Amino acid sequence: QVTLKESGPALVKPTQTLTVTCTFSGFSLSSPGVRVAWVRQPPGKALEWLARFDYDGSRFYSTSLKTRLTISKDTSKNQVVLTLTNTDPADTATYFCTRMIDSGWAFDVWGRGTMVTVS
Amino acid sequence: QSALTQPASVSGSPGQSTTVSCTGSFDDIGKYNLVSWYQQHPGEAPKLLIYDVLKRPSGVSDRFSGSKSGNTASLTISGLQADDEAHYYCCSYAGLSTVVFGGGTKLTVL
């Protein structure tokens, strides 16, 4: 069974760096075709794609946030980590970790999300 | 890239059908057959309903169907049920290894 679980601080001060961790099970990020992404959702607002990490180490970022985002993996711990620098209250959101389908651009398994407030 | 445009709300009665539209541009929906749809109940994570415009993942009811015409994608829900009341989001590949989501549509089952 594929599961993903997000963790991170509930509160971050403006200008600080936000770090959220996705711990997954049921698949290997080393297997060909596997990709993990981060999506966020401000309270009462729409979803926003942030970044993607591929099995081969390739990384892709949202155009609007790429200067502030870094996505990485810890293979030994089955984790994908997202950092967002120079935070602002507008970064307050639930941050979701999601696995992507084998090909194409869709997100088939999601974690429950972790809510981070920047204040 | 700009967010895709969805109606803020739609409604329908139980048993009826309803359609949610998602309008983008040639650079996203128009160029690529990589549109997906998600259902989100309050306080829950999104659930994948449709990918690659019209494909359904295993386990998703065939009451949900997707289509595309030009720069607009559509999600049709037939035989509306009370549990279909939720927010629905479209998503499209937008080139350069990025995706864009729609603003979301609130479906009310009357």
Side-chain angles (χ1 to χ4, degrees):
Chain A
Q1 181 187 6
V2 173
T3 64
L4 306 101
K5 184 176 182 179
E6 305 86 348
S7 58
L11 184 64
V12 173
K13 295 185 187 304
T15 75
Q16 289 186 338
T17 295
L18 179 163
T19 299
V20 285
T21 300
C22 172
T23 303
F24 58 85
S25 64
F27 66 94
S28 171
L29 195 43
S30 300
S31 298
V34 175
R35 302 165 293 168
V36 172
W38 284 94
V39 174
R40 72 178 180 180
Q41 185 174 36
K45 295 188 178 181
L47 301 167
E48 178 184 18
W49 176 75
L50 299 176
R52 178 186 121 186
F53 193 99
D54 291 5
Y55 69 101
D56 62 359
S58 299
R59 309 159 201 233
F60 304 93
Y61 297 101
S62 160
T63 302
S64 61
L65 292 168
K66 62 182 178 181
T67 61
R68 300 170 54 208
L69 286 170
T70 301
I71 191 170
S72 61
K73 74 169 182 177
D74 184 333
T75 305
S76 64
K77 296 181 181 178
N78 276 355
Q79 292 179 334
V80 173
V81 179
L82 183 77
T83 63
L84 178 64
T85 61
N86 192 25
T87 55
D88 177 88
D91 296 314
T92 294
T94 296
Y95 287 76
F96 293 102
C97 175
T98 173
R99 189 190 70 170
M100 298 182 68
I101 60 172
D102 284 349
S103 62
W105 277 87
F107 311 98
D108 67 344
V109 185
W110 296 66
R112 296 176 63 92
T114 185
M115 176 66 192
V116 181
T117 299
V118 180
S119 178
Chain B
Q1 60 274 38
S2 302
L4 306 174
T5 300
Q6 299 181 234
S9 63
V10 297
S11 62
S13 299
Q16 289 186 334
S17 294
T18 193
T19 296
V20 180
S21 63
C22 172
T23 302
S25 69
F26 174 74
D27 289 328
D28 37 64
I29 293 177
K31 187 184 293 186
Y32 306 101
N33 289 322
L34 293 171
V35 177
S36 52
W37 288 91
Y38 303 85
Q39 177 192 61
Q40 187 179 34
H41 287 107
E44 297 185 4
K47 173 188 175 183
L48 177 64
L49 295 177
I50 298 288
Y51 67 99
D52 294 355
V53 176
L54 47 71
K55 297 178 182 177
R56 268 189 314 274
S58 174
V60 172
S61 171
D62 60 3
R63 297 188 300 106
F64 296 93
S65 62
S67 62
K68 187 186 91 167
S69 177
N71 299 337
T72 298
S74 298
L75 172 72
T76 298
I77 309 170
S78 60
L80 277 174
Q81 301 176 359
D83 189 52
D84 296 334
E85 187 161 295
H87 277 87
Y88 292 84
Y89 293 93
C90 61
C91 178
S92 176
Y93 182 64
L96 300 177
S97 296
T98 63
V99 290
V100 60
F101 280 95
T105 298
K106 174 71 165 71
L107 168 63
T108 300
V109 179
L110 302 170

